[in-house]
Amino acid sequence: MERASRRKFLMRAGLAGCSLAASPLITPMSFASIPSDNRLVVIILRGAMDGLDVVQPYGDRAFSSLRKSLKFGDAGGAFDLDGYFSMHKGLASLIPLWRKGQLGFAHAVSTPYRNKRSHFDGQDLLEAGTGMNAPIGAQRDGWLNRMLQTMTGVEAQTAFAIGQEEMLITTGAAPVSNWSPDTHLNLTLQARRMLELVYHDDPLFGGSLDEAIMLAQALNPAAMLDDGETGDSKMMQTQMIASLKGGGHKRVAEFAANRLRAETRVATFSINGWDTHGGQRRALTRALGQLADTILILERDLGDIWGKTTVLAMTEFGRTVRENGTQGTDHGTGGAMVMAGGALKGGQVYGKWPGLGEGDLFQDRDLMPTGDVRAYAARAMQGLFGVDKSVLEQTVFPNLEIGTTPEIIL
Amino acid sequence: MTFDPQTAAIRFGTGLSPRIDPPTSVDQMLDTLRRPDDMARKFPVDRFADIQFTIDEIRRLNRTRRENKDSPIAKEAKQRIRLLKKSARRWQASWLNAALSRGAMTQDGFRERLVQFWGDHFTVVGKVSILRYTVSTYVEDAIRPHLSGTFADLLKAAVFHPMMLIYLDQVNSVGPNSRRAARRKGTGLNENLAREVLELHTLGVGANYTQSDVRSFAKLLAGVTYRGNESHEFAGFSAEPGPIKILGKSYRRGVAQLRDVEQFLEDLALHPDTAKHLARKLAVHFVSDAPDQGLVNAIAKTYLASGGDLTATYRAMLNHPAAWAMPDQKVKQPFDFIVSSLRALDVTPADMKRLNWKVMRAGIYAPLALMGQKWQSPTGPDGWPEAAGDWITPQALAARIQWAMTVPAIVKPDLPDPRKLVQTALAGRASGALAFAAKGAENRAEGVGIILAAPEFQRR
């Protein structure tokens, strides 16, 4: 059997023996439109974010004895959210959003993954969304894709996976577009004409080139095609090497906003750098800075559409409640989820707090999960796109019980 | 259609070279495959045994870190681990360089293609620590030496390799009625390897087996493990006592031993569903995303009749007219695209040696990822997809075009004349439009780029 793939769309068009010209990528076709004008952005925080340091339970008396060098609350320059939790100073630029009710958190949440604490398996499970009833690795499509499969009017651009990272979350039979803003397509006008000529009789190549040129221009209309300096390969080489360097998260966010302003309704990408085994103070501040930049770029660039947007940032698992010997934390279980957007019922920390006292911890080391991160995602899909509860609990997240998980969408 | 040298080089090899002659016949292709492996000698890649010392060393250093928390000793150990991981990354780059060199300069392109094919069929991904960088050692040990013998031998070599045992969690699997389970709580079976062997490596997902076969096979496998020596071993302590019934036949009489597992794998190799599954995969990989059923049947039939002899199986594919049908149906995978480009550009060992770490990163690793084939990192044990539409997406095609326009000039500063390249790289395959474009490009880099990015070169 062929692997279900985020790129399956064109393949299906090709294999079904129908003309590729019938592909909406190549010939625009009219579909019933996806039944919503809302937007969902899912950010995978790879490396396991320390939820306890992001949303700090300073009101829990046990906390200070568990965290020695990792300062929190007033001592850590954190922002008091609600008299019990404080927010890490790395997210300080988001305080105005919190005040507007456009930033929120879910605490003590996790996927059903337990005991082994491997990034690789944990991320697979988070993105597959299927829980532990299927063996890890056997999960070959992702929950965002399964959601799209249940909707009508899904077109190539409805969902976008952005960046170089493979996104299992959008893998599957439904069409999903994919683009990394690190992709450069520097073509002189002459080269472009020549390529269009040699691709003319091969619709797979021709259609993909047209789309690629459109996407490259969407982000950077001026610089994409220059017909001044012809074939300056030195410049291109420099650019290629430069693309290995940082700052990529801003380009990703800008590109996501650009697509979401057009016909895209679902966008997903990852932010790395959360595996803070040592020197967590600096490392976490840096990673949170990237997350905050990303959210603020989305808010800025989406303009009016921000009001219809929900951003969910989730991670594979939390980190140990106790600090380790290198001013960091190790792989844990329960963690936190960051939510933002104008469509969010924010300004609060959702979830049932399990406590950090004697006997409260999972295996005497991790925050005890009291909620399933998938249930919050399900609430978002229900609220934004009207996906049926039964579809969410059976198809998108098999065997999930949404139960009393709060409704997080306005 | 029958054999022709250009199609043999392009479709079943690593492409045309301006210097190296294409194959002359099917017999010659298969004879070469049985001769000594020149490229492996010329561009060596380490074996798993060669890196075992480093794996042990990291394990020791980690123990030191745990036992001396917060001390200068721990700090030093950490620093040393960092350096070892850094060298492993560099080794991986040198092995990738060797893989590219082999494909670009070989007289035996079919062998290099089979290495890719079987390496993908038996996908291994390194998940932790330096194993992330050492997949090449697995391919060198388990895949490359077993290309032309029986499938059973290849299957056993791949399934028992430490990298596979670690990847599919076999190392932690313990028989529920084993002595070990009796002594230690919290141990149990892990079905991962058993499932993937049936689903991906042998019978195929649609075949007639049940969850209870998977579980029984996992019981039979329990005890096959790797404990930090150079290869696999059989720990009778963790083995499930027999007899164990799988697919209607009983295995393991008397004391548990590795031979029981080998016996089952040998039976699996000769199962008719395995023959069908492998025949289809070969035809899909080499010939067409939707292969001729007659071709698939012919391959499967020979496979079974020959007792799973791989050379005979390849011969059945190569002697079938559908294998030579035109036009080209397959799109080259990104790695193969880069290899065949380097070959068309006539790179030399000296050219390849000049590719330092920075160029490997910017010119090979990063582009491969953008083309959708991050080196040795498929998302799951099912390996890379095959269909043209999986590879030619806007993003991936842009990355191929950008590579074709820029990287050749870095690797080969004296680029060939595009008007010559269009002949040597494509023989008679170039369309009138491409011949025109090769002539009309504004400079060499662009002309070379257009030829390498053209469907005539991208397809095989």
Side-chain angles (χ1 to χ4, degrees), chain B residues 3 79 106 112 125 174 181 192 197 286 316 334 337 350 353 356 360 401 417 432:
Chain B
F3 177 91
Q79 179 67 5
T106 185
E112 301 305 327
V125 183
V174 173
N192 208 1
V197 168
F286 284 98
F337 156 56
K353 228 183 200 139
N356 59 27
M360 286 297 287
I401 294 170
D417 185 324

Side-chain angles (χ1 to χ4, degrees), chain A residues 3 7 11 120 140 178-180 183-184 186 188 190 194 199 202 205 208 211-212 230 236-237 241 244 325, chain B residues 70 127 196 199 362 379 382 387 389-390 392-395 397 402 406 410 440 442 446 450 453 455 458-459:
Chain A
R3 179 177 82 153
R7 294 168 290 205
M11 182 190 82
F120 191 86
R140 281 161 200 161
N178 166 250
W179 184 259
S180 164
T183 306
H184 296 286
N186 303 80
T188 62
Q190 171 80 344
M194 294 292 176
Y199 287 174
D202 195 319
F205 282 79
S208 297
E211 185 92 348
T230 53
M236 295 184 204
Q237 290 160 23
I241 288 166
L244 295 175
Chain B
D70 307 320
K127 289 195 280 193
E196 302 305 8
E199 176 180 330
T379 47
D382 49 343
D390 276 346
I392 302 304
T393 64
Q395 148 89 49
L397 179 62
Q402 193 69 7
T406 55
I410 305 176
E442 288 178 345
E446 210 166 280
I450 289 165
Q458 295 286 331
R459 291 184 181 272

Side-chain angles (χ1 to χ4, degrees), chain B residues 3 37-38 41 48 66 68 77 105 112 127 164 196 211 228 233 256-257 323 351 363 412 422 434-435:
Chain B
F3 177 91
D37 187 349
D38 288 341
R41 230 180 345 175
F48 188 74
R66 276 196 307 273
N68 300 277
M105 289 173 254
E112 301 305 327
K127 289 195 280 193
M164 180 69 84
E196 302 305 8
Q211 168 59 30
E233 58 181 293
Q257 51 180 336
D351 292 330
K412 197 82 189 169
V422 81
L434 182 54

Side-chain angles (χ1 to χ4, degrees), chain B residues 26-335:
Chain B
V26 168
D27 285 341
Q28 190 236 341
M29 287 168 75
L30 296 173
D31 290 347
T32 317
L33 189 59
R34 289 220 181 238
R35 279 213 291 275
D37 187 349
D38 288 341
M39 285 294 114
R41 230 180 345 175
K42 206 160 173 195
F43 303 102
V45 168
D46 286 304
R47 299 305 193 89
F48 188 74
D50 300 323
I51 59 154
Q52 181 61 51
F53 175 80
T54 308
I55 295 174
D56 291 344
E57 172 89 358
I58 289 182
R59 192 174 291 144
R60 266 198 303 276
L61 289 165
N62 270 322
R63 202 180 313 128
T64 307
R65 278 179 67 190
R66 276 196 307 273
E67 287 166 1
N68 300 277
K69 272 199 170 157
D70 307 320
S71 74
I73 302 172
K75 208 169 174 188
E76 201 187 304
K78 190 181 167 188
Q79 179 67 5
R80 175 98 185 106
I81 291 171
R82 217 177 55 85
L83 287 175
L84 287 173
K85 284 188 184 166
K86 191 175 162 191
S87 5
R89 268 201 300 277
R90 302 296 161 100
W91 299 339
Q92 189 202 35
S94 74
W95 300 328
L96 168 54
N97 191 308
L100 295 167
S101 302
R102 289 170 177 184
M105 289 173 254
T106 185
Q107 311 226 1
D108 185 9
F110 190 46
R111 185 194 301 262
E112 301 305 327
R113 293 289 308 288
L114 288 170
V115 169
Q116 292 301 116
F117 172 75
W118 290 116
D120 180 69
H121 181 77
F122 292 107
T123 287
V124 158
V125 183
K127 289 195 280 193
V128 291
S129 191
I130 73 159
L131 297 181
R132 270 199 286 255
Y133 312 115
T134 60
V135 173
S136 297
T137 66
Y138 154 77
V139 176
E140 203 70 3
D141 285 339
I143 306 296
R144 200 162 174 106
H146 300 102
L147 300 173
S148 56
T150 66
F151 178 70
D153 285 343
L154 174 62
L155 175 67
K156 286 182 281 185
V159 168
F160 292 153
H161 194 278
M163 291 287 294
M164 180 69 84
L165 297 176
I166 296 167
Y167 174 46
L168 294 178
D169 306 313
Q170 179 58 30
V171 286
N172 298 318
S173 188
V174 173
N177 298 305
S178 66
R179 283 173 281 154
R180 176 152 184 204
R183 226 179 274 180
R184 275 184 64 177
K185 290 254 178 320
T187 59
L189 275 186
N190 188 305
E191 295 176 4
N192 208 1
L193 180 62
R195 179 182 314 280
E196 302 305 8
V197 168
L198 296 177
E199 176 180 330
L200 300 173
H201 303 158
T202 60
L203 304 177
V205 69
N208 189 19
Y209 63 90
T210 64
Q211 168 59 30
S212 119
D213 291 317
V214 171
R215 184 134 187 106
S216 299
F217 180 25
K219 286 181 184 167
L220 191 72
L221 269 173
V224 179
T225 192
Y226 156 78
R227 285 187 296 203
N229 32 21
E230 286 170 9
S231 68
H232 69 282
E233 58 181 293
F234 191 74
F237 194 54
S238 299
E240 181 76 357
I244 297 169
K245 202 167 168 187
I246 322 174
L247 298 171
K249 189 175 159 185
S250 191
Y251 295 86
R252 182 161 292 163
R253 292 178 210 97
V255 180
Q257 51 180 336
L258 184 66
R259 184 69 208 130
D260 311 329
V261 185
E262 290 176 335
Q263 183 60 56
F264 176 65
L265 290 175
E266 285 158 16
D267 289 350
L268 262 186
L270 294 181
H271 195 289
D273 286 338
T274 301
K276 273 188 233 161
H277 181 213
L278 296 180
R280 185 164 181 87
K281 276 198 82 167
L282 275 165
V284 165
H285 183 77
F286 284 98
V287 181
S288 166
D289 295 347
D292 176 83
Q293 194 55 45
L295 170 67
V296 176
N297 294 345
I299 300 171
K301 195 173 154 202
T302 303
Y303 176 89
L304 280 180
S306 66
D309 180 285
L310 290 174
T311 304
T313 305
Y314 307 145
R315 194 182 303 277
M317 172 171 75
L318 295 172
N319 278 337
H320 198 282
W324 304 90
M326 293 299 276
D328 295 322
Q329 294 293 316
K330 296 291 297 181
V331 166
K332 291 174 186 170
Q333 293 186 7
F335 175 80

